Amino acid sequence: MDVARPQEIFNRHKRDYLFNFSRLLNRAMVEPDMLQLMVTTRCQLQCKMCSVWKQQFQEEADTKDIKRFIDEAIAMGIKTIYFTGGEALLRKDIFELIDYAARPGIITTINTNGGFINKDTAEKIVKSKLRNISFSIDGVNSKTHNFFRGEGIFEKAMCSIDYLNYYKDKYDRGRDSAERVLDIAMVSVIMKKNMEELPALADLAKKMGCCYIAFQPLVNNGDLSAPMENNELWIEEKDIPRLQQIFDILISKKQEFSGVMHIDIMPEKTIKHFRGQGFENTCFAGFNRVFVNPQGDMSFVCFPAFGNIKKDSLKDVWYAEDTDKIREMIRNCKKSCTQFCSERSQSDDIELIHKQLESEIASLPQDENIAVRKEEYSFLQSMRDALNSNTGKPDNDIVNTLAKLENMLISIRGNLLDENIKQ
């Protein structure tokens, strides 16, 4: 038996389990997936749906501090470094930071409005070690997109993507180039004045060679779940039936484009968001990423800061008791959040994690199959004990999870007994 393989297989699924149990226990038992560096709030645009450009910081974290923090994040186990703004390309050191963060196994990604990418900049991007670039595109033509973002921006963004595709071909950074691939994506805000164009936006993304397009509802930057009343961009109740029809079209396109381009949508959450309805939200924001603002404050996006990169060790503050208190706030949050930072679908349900593991090990040799099951059984026992010993009154999430755990443990124990009998 290859002794290392069962442990390697289980560890991949163990990580998904740990995010679920970390959320239930309000304490981090695993390192985050992503470091999101908001390197600036400066932007050349003043988009109608955004107020970030109004949030100017007097002093942005310098190159040295950011590099040191990137080192800490990677040493801790973070695999994705996401540069955002504002317009991140306004940072004079942005390519230096991207190439510094790029290491084996690390995904570097950036979001842009595309307004600064001329032919020379596109070549520089493709020759850099960037792995993913997403464009904010909210209309399929200049009339719609420029209404939201400003004159000439649609044309510049489309030209930017064309330039990138040209240089991707020239420098062999297409999808068949393994570690060298540079993915292009689009991100679109769902609003009243562009909702009819959402299916066409998916078509446009596919036409432009994007690997995915993500649709996110309009939010109030001051309070992500608060409705924006008396706002011409807000989708009203009378528009909801049509929005549902549009989502049905997007769901069909998601199936049609499968294997070519991914479409990321949240139909049910989005509709409840525009209706101002609360919903049960399984939020992983306290575990799946570290957000850093331009002055270096670390936080979980829309919750209080728990440290600053200029003076605090990421590992120390990540596992600190004071940070766990913020995680408890997140777990008790009942706002109808539709931000992708709250999502970690692969950790939502421990039964699904178990089924995925079962599927993966089904074809393994018997001795390796048994070794993985034993690893899982021992781990789940320890998590059951941790939940049972958790102080305070168990809430519904914990009660339901304990019930699932008991059934899973019985099932695994039965499978192990069957395998021993066969031996």
Side-chain angles (χ1 to χ4, degrees), residues 284-350:
F284 289 95
F287 303 97
N288 66 359
R289 75 175 66 191
V290 180
F291 174 78
V292 178
N293 72 12
Q295 66 186 15
D297 294 325
M298 293 178 258
S299 72
F300 300 126
V301 186
C302 49
F303 286 84
F306 56 82
N308 188 282
I309 69 171
K310 299 173 187 176
K311 62 182 180 66
D312 296 309
S313 156
L314 172 58
K315 190 171 184 179
D316 288 347
V317 296
W318 182 255
Y319 294 107
E321 288 185 15
D322 286 345
T323 308
D324 287 341
K325 292 175 183 176
I326 299 173
R327 293 186 174 105
E328 188 170 4
M329 291 169 55
I330 295 173
R331 184 144 184 270
N332 293 327
C333 177
K334 302 301 179 186
K335 292 184 177 181
S336 54
C337 180
T338 54
Q339 298 302 289
F340 287 117
C341 58
S342 71
E343 301 272 312
R344 201 176 196 278
S345 58
Q346 64 268 46
S347 293
D348 278 344
D349 188 336
I350 61 170

Side-chain angles (χ1 to χ4, degrees), residues 339-365:
Q339 298 302 289
F340 287 117
C341 58
S342 71
E343 301 272 312
R344 201 176 196 278
S345 58
Q346 64 268 46
S347 293
D348 278 344
D349 188 336
I350 61 170
E351 288 179 325
L352 287 179
I353 301 170
H354 172 65
K355 287 178 182 177
Q356 287 166 353
L357 177 58
E358 287 279 302
S359 176
E360 183 172 350
I361 67 174
S363 59
L364 289 180

Side-chain angles (χ1 to χ4, degrees), residues 154-366:
F154 180 79
E155 295 82 355
K156 288 180 180 178
M158 293 298 104
C159 194
S160 298
I161 297 174
D162 282 338
Y163 284 144
L164 288 172
N165 281 322
Y166 169 79
Y167 284 114
K168 278 179 63 177
D169 289 340
K170 181 176 179 179
Y171 294 109
D172 188 27
R173 296 208 61 189
R175 294 189 189 181
D176 296 329
S177 54
E179 282 289 313
R180 284 181 44 77
V181 66
L182 171 61
D183 284 326
I184 300 173
M186 287 186 187
V187 179
S188 300
V189 180
I190 301 171
M191 297 171 279
K192 185 183 182 75
K193 289 186 177 292
N194 75 342
M195 58 184 267
E196 291 293 341
E197 296 184 21
L198 302 186
L201 272 166
D203 292 334
L204 175 64
K206 181 172 178 285
K207 177 185 174 184
M208 299 300 288
C210 294
C211 65
Y212 74 85
I213 181 169
F215 292 100
Q216 200 160 22
L218 175 68
V219 295
N220 183 337
N221 290 131
D223 184 344
L224 295 177
S225 65
M228 299 172 71
E229 296 178 356
N230 302 317
N231 186 299
E232 62 178 338
L233 307 181
W234 190 258
I235 293 177
E236 302 170 287
E237 179 62 34
K238 62 184 177 65
D239 305 311
I240 295 297
R242 178 55 184 155
L243 180 60
Q244 182 61 69
Q245 292 175 346
I246 291 167
F247 275 134
D248 290 341
I249 297 171
L250 285 172
I251 290 168
S252 296
K253 284 188 178 291
K254 183 172 182 175
Q255 296 171 342
E256 178 188 346
F257 295 167
S258 177
V260 178
M261 186 188 78
H262 178 66
I263 298 176
D264 206 340
I265 49 175
M266 300 180 284
E268 185 179 354
K269 281 187 175 183
T270 298
I271 287 171
K272 286 185 176 182
H273 169 74
F274 282 121
R275 281 178 163 161
Q277 297 174 342
F279 52 82
E280 194 67 27
N281 194 37
T282 304
C283 181
F284 289 95
F287 303 97
N288 66 359
R289 75 175 66 191
V290 180
F291 174 78
V292 178
N293 72 12
Q295 66 186 15
D297 294 325
M298 293 178 258
S299 72
F300 300 126
V301 186
C302 49
F303 286 84
F306 56 82
N308 188 282
I309 69 171
K310 299 173 187 176
K311 62 182 180 66
D312 296 309
S313 156
L314 172 58
K315 190 171 184 179
D316 288 347
V317 296
W318 182 255
Y319 294 107
E321 288 185 15
D322 286 345
T323 308
D324 287 341
K325 292 175 183 176
I326 299 173
R327 293 186 174 105
E328 188 170 4
M329 291 169 55
I330 295 173
R331 184 144 184 270
N332 293 327
C333 177
K334 302 301 179 186
K335 292 184 177 181
S336 54
C337 180
T338 54
Q339 298 302 289
F340 287 117
C341 58
S342 71
E343 301 272 312
R344 201 176 196 278
S345 58
Q346 64 268 46
S347 293
D348 278 344
D349 188 336
I350 61 170
E351 288 179 325
L352 287 179
I353 301 170
H354 172 65
K355 287 178 182 177
Q356 287 166 353
L357 177 58
E358 287 279 302
S359 176
E360 183 172 350
I361 67 174
S363 59
L364 289 180
Q366 187 181 45

